[in-house]
Amino acid sequence: MRAGGANSARLTARSVIPLVVVVVFLATLPLWVDDYWVRVWTGVAMWAGLAASWNIIGGYAGYISFGHVAFFGIGAYATAILMQPGLDWNFFLTLPVGAVVAGVFAFIVGWPTLRLRGAYFAIATWALAEALAQLVNTVDFTGGSFGLSTPGNAETGFFYYAMLIASALIYLIIFAVFERSRFGYKVKAVRDNEAAAQSLGINTTSVKLQAFVMSAALPAVLGGINAYWITFINPQSVLAGDITDQMVVMALVGGLGHLWGPAIGATVLYLSSTWLNAHFGSSTGYIAMIGALLALIVLFLPDGLVGLMPRARNMRLVRQMLRLPDRRADPGPDPDTSRERS
Amino acid sequence: MSALAVSDLKRSFGGIKAVAGVSFDVGVKEIVGIIGPNGSGKSTLFNLLSGTIPPSSGTIRLLDKDVTHQPAYRIARQGLGRTFQIPTPFINMTVRENLLAAAVEGEWRSARSRAEEVLAALEISHIADDLASTLSGGQQRLLEFGRVQMRDPQIILLDEVTAGVNPRLRQIILGRVRDLQERGKTFLVIEHDMELVRTICERIIVMDAGEIVFEGTFEEVARNERVVDAYLGRPET
């Protein structure tokens, strides 16, 4: 019989060690790369945070949202509007406001739409995001289609790098806690079987709504940082549908419903598209290369890139190299109750 | 006080009366079996009692509280647990996580030790970290029964909990049912295994075409003409 305490300790170590490695790598990165790569990794951090936020509703709760850009846009506009001359809010104070507005919007939108499932939910969220983009295009206080500029700032590239890396790491810690929390288990239970979850006392409507609000508030913060970074926003830059597409693709490529999946997906896709663009960007051919890369991953790694590790660990050669016990030679526990097949 | 009191419960799907005016009581610590041919309304009755689907009419009282038309999660919180005819493990979660997902609200601190107790009682501690999707059908039924026990409900509905289960797992399940009964739990059991029904059920309700056609002990049921006609059938002469 395996000891639960020892397993928990192993699980915690398995989560914490990669996190420590990532923190050390990212904290020291500006010391040994030039400004260009600092900018690239700033982008990686932003997309990792966005994909991880989408993963809450798409991966853990099983509701594929195609309107998540709305929350990113709400955060961006909250920061831009509140920092306009006359209001002159401090940048840092605008971030929680954007998160709260996005959360309230998600609550209002989620109440009716989370009763839908599958393609219906996806279409409803896509339509709502499109409607929001059209609304922002037409009202005055958002600057309409002309957009808004944020006040000029003297912050260095390192400031945005630090902001976005800190946000992404805080999100990773939040998601690591979420994964093993009572709430996290409830969300995953609802995804796997809603009727069974209800029969176990789980208020599935409330759980779905909370997960949707949580997955909406986090991208709003990233939207606010992004607005301050790029100094000018309009509906095309912060409410475009392809922003959601990228969140979805990055989470899918990395691994849905997995703590590290979206971060890995964002890192691989952002770095590879940046590299391909730099080397083959004179034509649009590099986009086809990214498409081919995606197709290969989806075809051979349906669980995403996180599926590589367990698969590699099952290979005899890798097991020998890592000095892991051979599973096929392991007789395992009591065969009667361990692998009974009825 | 009845653990469960059902009065004139009805549920139709279009023109089909799946449950057509069912009334019965179940006493505290009683184990009551529900038998009947396929399509007689047994599982629909369980879905109505647990709030999975709402009744067309009638009343359901759980531990003297009216729970008719309440959503499933509220009924579960008031002390009713159930398993499903087709096992419903949370397949992307481990066995232990399945149990933790069922932890009672406000008792999260003790949930992990409670999960270890349930794992040990069902003799599945060695598969606690396995994904539920990798379990056999029998193990999935055991897991589902364990999940119900996490909430320590007063009334437990078991829908064919030993169907397709090997003799060893069957003994574990039956032993646990008896153990829980001794601790004051009430059971309502849908079963096709007549030997099991005879062994553990103190009273049997026979359903056919959405109605209760007979109620009594196993011996009385076995002697009843209508039950024999509806369920057991007669040998051709």
Side-chain angles (χ1 to χ4, degrees):
Chain A
M1 191 173 88
R2 295 176 208 173
N7 276 323
S8 301
R10 256 201 312 274
L11 282 172
T12 308
R14 272 209 302 251
S15 306
V16 170
I17 291 169
L19 192 63
V20 170
V21 171
V22 168
V23 169
V24 170
F25 169 77
L26 294 174
T28 59
L29 189 80
L31 303 175
W32 43 276
V33 297
D34 59 24
D35 285 351
Y36 170 76
W37 283 105
V38 170
R39 271 201 309 281
V40 169
W41 279 93
T42 307
V44 168
M46 188 183 82
W47 284 107
L50 287 175
S53 304
W54 182 88
N55 193 39
I56 293 282
I57 192 71
Y60 289 111
Y63 277 76
I64 305 298
S65 163
F66 271 115
H68 241 56
V69 67
F71 309 121
F72 179 75
I74 285 171
Y77 271 99
T79 292
I81 290 167
L82 291 172
M83 291 184 79
Q84 290 302 300
L87 292 171
D88 298 315
W89 277 49
N90 177 286
F91 160 67
F92 291 100
L93 293 178
T94 67
L95 299 180
V97 173
V100 169
V101 173
V104 170
F105 184 71
F107 185 87
I108 295 165
V109 166
W111 190 260
T113 57
L114 285 166
R115 291 163 203 274
L116 306 170
R117 282 221 69 117
Y120 299 101
F121 177 77
I123 292 167
T125 48
W126 170 80
L128 282 162
E130 285 298 313
L132 183 72
Q134 293 307 316
L135 185 70
V136 169
N137 245 326
T138 53
V139 294
D140 287 339
F141 70 95
T142 60
S145 57
F146 294 109
L148 285 176
S149 295
T150 52
N153 60 75
E155 309 294 359
T156 63
F158 180 76
F159 171 81
Y160 299 104
Y161 174 79
M163 282 291 293
L164 284 160
I165 290 291
S167 303
L169 289 175
I170 289 167
Y171 287 5
L172 261 177
I173 293 165
I174 291 172
F175 298 143
V177 172
F178 162 85
E179 261 213 328
R180 297 202 177 86
S181 67
R182 162 89 167 123
F183 178 59
Y185 291 138
K186 282 187 193 174
V187 172
K188 288 186 265 187
V190 171
R191 170 196 62 194
D192 283 359
N193 195 311
E194 201 163 334
Q198 281 195 329
S199 79
L200 293 168
I202 297 172
N203 181 349
T204 55
T205 306
S206 167
V207 165
K208 287 186 289 186
L209 209 48
Q210 288 174 57
F212 195 45
V213 169
M214 183 177 171
S215 79
L218 302 177
V221 174
L222 296 171
I225 299 171
N226 184 60
Y228 193 45
W229 182 24
I230 61 177
T231 68
F232 170 77
I233 59 166
N234 63 11
Q236 286 73 45
S237 64
V238 294
L239 283 166
D242 65 338
I243 295 174
T244 304
D245 299 345
Q246 288 192 59
M247 291 184 212
V248 176
V249 170
M250 285 169 173
L252 277 170
V253 164
L256 273 185
H258 191 279
L259 175 65
W260 290 97
I264 293 171
T267 307
V268 168
L269 284 183
Y270 195 85
L271 290 181
S272 57
S273 65
T274 302
W275 187 84
L276 289 169
N277 188 18
H279 289 80
F280 305 99
S282 53
S283 73
T284 52
Y286 83 99
I287 297 172
M289 292 176 196
I290 295 167
L293 177 69
L294 287 177
L296 286 172
I297 292 170
V298 170
L299 207 57
F300 294 108
L301 290 167
D303 295 333
L305 292 167
V306 289
L308 272 174
M309 260 320 272
R311 282 175 195 213
R313 284 167 65 88
N314 282 334
M315 292 175 193
R316 187 178 281 268
L317 183 65
V318 176
R319 296 188 76 77
Q320 283 171 354
M321 286 166 64
L322 296 175
R323 294 174 190 273
L324 295 169
D326 191 332
R327 285 187 177 181
R328 280 166 289 194
D330 181 6
D334 173 16
D336 194 10
T337 49
S338 65
R339 276 290 170 269
E340 170 270 345
R341 295 277 164 201
S342 51
Chain B
M1 181 183 80
S2 297
L4 185 67
V6 177
S7 175
D8 199 23
L9 199 64
K10 292 177 184 168
R11 173 69 201 208
S12 301
F13 297 104
I16 299 165
K17 290 179 182 173
V19 174
V22 164
S23 302
F24 64 91
D25 279 17
V26 181
V28 174
K29 280 185 77 171
E30 205 177 3
I31 301 182
V32 175
I34 299 183
I35 65 170
N38 291 332
S40 59
K42 305 184 298 294
S43 289
T44 305
L45 175 64
F46 268 24
N47 287 338
L48 294 172
L49 297 178
S50 61
T52 305
I53 54 172
S56 306
S57 65
T59 58
I60 304 164
R61 294 185 72 81
L62 183 73
L63 301 167
D64 261 359
K65 284 181 195 158
D66 189 346
V67 295
T68 322
H69 294 294
Q70 285 199 10
Y73 78 91
R74 281 210 187 133
I75 293 177
R77 288 179 186 184
Q78 290 182 59
L80 186 137
R82 71 164 295 185
T83 67
F84 290 80
Q85 187 176 16
I86 298 166
T88 57
F90 302 133
I91 55 169
N92 295 300
M93 298 164 73
T94 66
V95 169
R96 185 182 278 108
E97 287 172 344
N98 262 264
L99 298 182
L100 291 172
V104 176
E105 302 67 40
E107 293 182 14
W108 181 239
R109 280 174 190 276
S110 59
R112 286 185 188 275
S113 58
R114 172 85 185 144
E116 297 308 321
E117 281 171 28
V118 172
L119 288 167
L122 294 176
E123 300 179 30
I124 51 173
S125 297
H126 59 280
I127 53 167
D129 294 315
D130 289 4
L131 275 179
S133 59
T134 66
L135 304 184
S136 68
Q139 286 174 326
Q140 290 188 351
R141 287 200 183 277
L142 209 56
L143 170 60
E144 198 177 42
F145 186 32
R147 238 173 26 191
V148 169
Q149 290 168 51
M150 279 297 289
R151 303 190 60 80
D152 197 26
Q154 287 304 305
I155 300 159
I156 300 172
L157 314 183
L158 300 178
D159 197 344
E160 298 187 32
V161 73
T162 62
V165 170
N166 77 20
R168 167 137 172 72
L169 295 190
R170 190 170 179 272
Q171 281 312 311
I172 293 173
I173 292 171
L174 293 184
R176 191 64 181 156
V177 168
R178 289 204 181 92
D179 184 33
L180 290 170
Q181 185 198 20
E182 279 172 22
R183 294 188 201 177
K185 308 301 178 195
T186 305
F187 284 88
L188 202 55
V189 182
I190 293 177
E191 261 304 334
H192 286 297
D193 179 346
M194 286 304 119
E195 179 54 27
L196 186 141
V197 170
R198 189 184 65 79
T199 309
I200 65 164
C201 296
E202 295 148 1
R203 187 158 56 95
I204 295 158
I205 293 170
V206 186
M207 288 186 72
D208 187 28
E211 295 177 338
I212 293 177
V213 294
F214 190 75
E215 211 175 321
T217 63
F218 184 83
E219 288 70 27
E220 288 167 344
V221 166
R223 285 196 301 268
N224 185 274
E225 291 288 315
R226 196 171 169 194
V227 175
V228 173
D229 282 346
Y231 190 42
L232 303 177
R234 289 180 183 281
E236 287 182 20
T237 53

